[in-house]
């Protein structure tokens, strides 16, 4: 008996040492990251307000804190690619932040971000180089994990350019272990599925769940509706394989929010925010927060939509059905009714382009809603406007504009 429990204890300890298990990201991480909007602009003379530099991240930390974003839940300020010197320090081999663009060093920047009540994220790459050609972590993993901890990093995005794809299934967990070993809790964002799958290797989601807090499943998002829909189509088509693996501490990541940039209209911005809430996706903005228009800021800070995204059950939603080119996306959320049925968030996404708003009706049964006492319905994009109680035989009607969305909470009674 003692022998068996001793072995079990040892196995548990080993498991603890081998998995990430850092207690972080119990709900999808929220924050701001530089890549989508600012890419690899390094010319600070021509573009002083846009180049990847300490001033960009200080300003964005201030804007998150001062403009209501932090209060709405956005927490991480994440430096993406192009922050490094082209070479490591010749004596210590340590990574060096670009000396001209980050003259005060990353510790000073981390202090500023932390002083504003926010958390600090940093990008690196598992290979020899980052995607933009700066030094990667391979061959220096232990040193770099410790350097990240010394810089007071709270979130690491580890990309996968210039790397052997066949090494990733072992190498990514190893870097996560090294991060943990520093004793500093760091959210760990992995990119290995986004490299494996296009190369014909199916990602091992059980391993991802154990070793990463979030992972990029698929292609980079670009600043257009076309790119956004290509990603949502990928997630919908592959949902049987992907959706079950999202949950507290481990999330699928369809990439950054485009809101506030050039490519999406007002209604398309609502569309991205709604689908990201249904998908339990990390809400990582990438925009110029100084110039986000007030109506887009309202979408980004919509508390009812954010509450769906951050729902404590942490169950990722799915595309439930498509009827007349209207997609219905659905996610189980709190509160659960006394009957044990979940409440649901439901988004009606129009893929129609034929002009007029399109009216469509469903019985609740058609939406696979089964709570015998029915549901109280609120319109999440109309400040939770109460739409009354719907029984299982009632028709629920909504009117969706081309490439638009309507978004509701069905509370099980
Ligand atoms: C890859 C990633 C992007 C971004 C760039 C930076 O393409 O998927 O999110 O980090 O690299 O070079």
């Amino acid at each position: 008996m003692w022998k068996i429990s001793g072995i079990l204890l040892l196995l548990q300890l080993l498991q603890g040492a081998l998995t990430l298990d850092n207690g972080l990201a119990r709900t999808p991480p929220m924050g701001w990251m530089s890549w989508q909007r600012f890419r690899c602009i390094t010319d600070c003379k021509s573009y002083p307000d846009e180049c990847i530099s300490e001033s960009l991240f200080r300003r964005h930390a201030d804007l998150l804190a001062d403009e209501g974003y932090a209060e709405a839940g956005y927490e991480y300020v994440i430096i993406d690619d192009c922050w490094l010197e082209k070479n490591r320090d010749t004596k210590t081999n340590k990574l060096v932040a670009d000396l001209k663009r980050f003259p005060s060093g990353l510790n000073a920047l981390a202090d500023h971000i932390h002083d504003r009540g926010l958390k600090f994220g940093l990008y690196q790459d598992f290979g020899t180089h980052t995607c933009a050609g700066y030094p990667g972590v391979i061959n220096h993993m232990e040193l770099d994990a410790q350097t990240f901890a010394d810089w007071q990093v709270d979130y690491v995005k580890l990309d996968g350019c210039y790397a052997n794809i066949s090494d990733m299934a072992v190498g990514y967990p190893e870097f996560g272990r090294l991060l943990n070993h520093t004793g500093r809790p760091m959210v760990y964002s992995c990119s290995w599925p986004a490299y494996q799958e296009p190369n014909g290797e199916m990602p091992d989601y059980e391993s991802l769940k154990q070793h990463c807090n979030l992972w990029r499943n698929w292609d980079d998002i670009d600043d257009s509706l076309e790119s956004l829909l290509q990603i949502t189509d990928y997630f919908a088509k592959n949902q049987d394989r992907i959706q079950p693996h999202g949950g507290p501490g481990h999330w699928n990541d369809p990439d950054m929010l485009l809101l506030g940039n050039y490519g999406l209209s007002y209604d398309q911005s609502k569309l991205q925010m709604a689908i990201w809430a249904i998908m339990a996706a990390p809400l990582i903005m990438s925009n110029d927060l100084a110039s986000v228009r007030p109506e887009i800021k309202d979408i980004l800070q919509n508390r009812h939509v954010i509450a769906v995204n951050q729902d404590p059950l942490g169950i990722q939603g799915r595309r439930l059905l498509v009827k007349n080119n209207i997609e219905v996306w659905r996610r189980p959320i709190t509160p659960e009714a006394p009957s044990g049925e979940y409440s649901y968030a439901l988004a009606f996404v129009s893929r129609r382009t034929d002009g007029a708003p399109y009216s469509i009706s469903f019985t609740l049964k058609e939406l696979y809603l089964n709570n015998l006492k029915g549901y109280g319905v609120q319109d999440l994009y109309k400040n939770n406007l109460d739409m009354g109680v719907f029984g299982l035989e009632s028709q629920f009607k909504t009117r969706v504009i081309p490439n638009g969305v309507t978004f509701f909470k069905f509370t099980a009674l």
Side-chain angles (χ1 to χ4, degrees):
M1 183 66 189
W2 279 112
K3 255 191 197 156
I4 294 177
S5 44
I7 291 169
L8 280 178
L9 184 71
L10 191 69
L11 280 176
Q12 267 173 6
L13 285 175
L14 266 175
Q15 175 89 347
L18 293 176
T19 61
L20 187 64
D21 200 18
N22 58 11
L24 300 173
R26 303 308 297 170
T27 58
M30 295 176 65
W32 181 93
M33 181 152 77
S34 49
W35 182 254
Q36 170 48 37
R37 171 61 181 82
F38 297 102
R39 300 281 162 151
C40 198
I41 301 178
T42 51
D43 178 355
C44 294
K45 265 207 186 115
S46 308
Y47 310 108
D49 293 337
E50 291 176 83
C51 67
I52 303 303
S53 64
E54 62 182 42
S55 97
L56 181 75
F57 297 97
R58 290 173 81 94
R59 267 190 296 118
H60 276 84
D62 293 344
L63 286 159
L64 284 173
D66 297 339
E67 297 285 328
Y69 292 99
E71 214 184 308
Y74 296 92
E75 189 180 19
Y76 292 94
V77 180
I78 307 162
I79 306 181
D80 207 285
D81 208 346
C82 306
W83 59 273
L84 282 154
E85 282 284 325
K86 285 276 164 130
N87 293 302
R88 289 174 176 268
D89 183 281
T90 43
K91 283 201 198 104
T92 63
N93 259 337
K94 283 189 187 172
L95 295 165
V96 184
D98 187 281
L99 296 167
K100 290 209 185 71
R101 291 181 282 117
F102 293 85
S104 321
L106 292 193
N107 275 116
L109 180 56
D111 284 345
H112 181 84
I113 291 169
H114 290 143
D115 287 349
R116 301 303 325 245
L118 300 163
K119 298 209 162 108
F120 176 37
L122 196 55
Y123 166 100
Q124 245 299 350
D125 189 287
F126 175 62
T128 55
H129 294 87
T130 71
C131 294
Y134 296 84
V137 300
I138 203 87
N139 303 327
H140 302 279
M141 297 215 296
E142 194 170 354
L143 174 67
D144 293 352
Q146 188 55 50
T147 307
F148 278 26
D150 296 343
W151 280 334
Q152 305 163 71
V153 169
D154 306 298
Y155 178 120
V156 175
K157 169 178 173 181
L158 194 68
D159 208 346
C161 278
Y162 302 106
N164 284 333
I165 292 170
S166 52
D167 293 344
M168 290 180 170
V170 172
Y172 267 87
E174 171 64 4
F175 194 67
R177 196 187 62 76
L178 291 167
L179 289 175
N180 248 6
H181 191 66
T182 65
R184 184 174 178 87
M186 291 181 250
V187 170
Y188 186 32
S189 163
C190 297
S191 294
W192 99 73
Y195 289 85
Q196 281 183 338
E197 207 174 315
N199 284 287
E201 241 181 83
M202 275 302 140
D204 175 352
Y205 286 97
E206 288 308 322
S207 174
L208 278 162
K209 268 155 81 169
Q210 275 184 34
H211 298 292
C212 305
N213 294 116
L214 61 155
W215 50 85
R216 278 281 310 284
N217 304 70
W218 195 238
D219 280 352
D220 287 9
I221 199 161
D222 284 332
D223 195 1
S224 70
L225 180 67
E226 189 192 6
S227 166
L228 168 60
L229 294 176
Q230 179 255 323
I231 289 172
T232 60
D233 280 343
Y234 167 82
F235 274 82
K237 280 186 195 135
N238 295 286
Q239 59 190 358
D240 288 346
R241 182 161 72 72
I242 291 174
Q243 174 269 343
H245 304 296
H250 43 89
W251 307 101
N252 291 294
D253 178 9
D255 212 359
M256 290 160 265
L257 292 171
L258 300 171
L259 287 85
N261 293 317
Y262 310 108
L264 298 187
S265 69
Y266 172 70
D267 289 285
Q268 294 162 358
S269 301
K270 283 162 113 177
L271 185 154
Q272 186 182 23
M273 199 69 184
I275 302 185
W276 261 234
I278 296 277
M279 288 201 294
L283 296 181
I284 309 289
M285 302 181 282
S286 186
N287 48 18
D288 184 344
L289 284 177
S291 62
V292 172
R293 298 200 311 270
E295 65 273 25
I296 302 293
K297 181 174 161 186
D298 285 350
I299 305 172
L300 285 165
Q301 296 190 7
N302 183 317
R303 265 143 235 268
H304 311 299
V305 174
I306 290 174
V308 172
N309 176 269
Q310 297 285 301
D311 187 80
L313 291 175
I315 303 173
Q316 184 174 333
R318 299 166 67 99
R319 191 170 74 187
L320 186 66
L321 56 95
V322 185
K323 182 175 164 188
N324 299 350
N325 229 356
I326 304 289
E327 302 180 345
V328 183
W329 290 73
R330 192 183 85 150
R331 176 176 179 187
I333 53 173
T334 53
E336 285 169 68
S339 63
E341 289 285 341
Y342 292 126
S343 298
Y344 286 92
L346 273 130
F348 298 84
V349 174
S350 175
R351 300 293 291 266
R352 302 180 65 94
T353 51
D354 52 349
Y358 188 79
S359 289
I360 191 160
S361 301
F362 298 89
T363 63
L364 266 57
K365 278 193 179 152
E366 275 181 276
L367 299 170
Y368 301 92
L369 295 169
N370 299 316
N371 189 45
L372 292 174
K373 292 202 165 141
Y375 298 81
V377 180
Q378 290 164 318
D379 188 330
L380 298 171
Y381 275 131
K382 288 195 179 144
N383 202 22
N384 254 6
L385 179 75
D386 197 350
M387 304 186 55
V389 171
F390 288 73
L392 293 189
E393 302 302 330
S394 328
Q395 290 275 337
F396 181 78
K397 184 174 164 185
T398 185
R399 198 160 178 253
V400 202
I401 67 164
N403 288 320
V405 66
T406 55
F407 196 20
F408 306 93
K409 178 173 178 178
F410 282 65
T411 304
L413 302 173

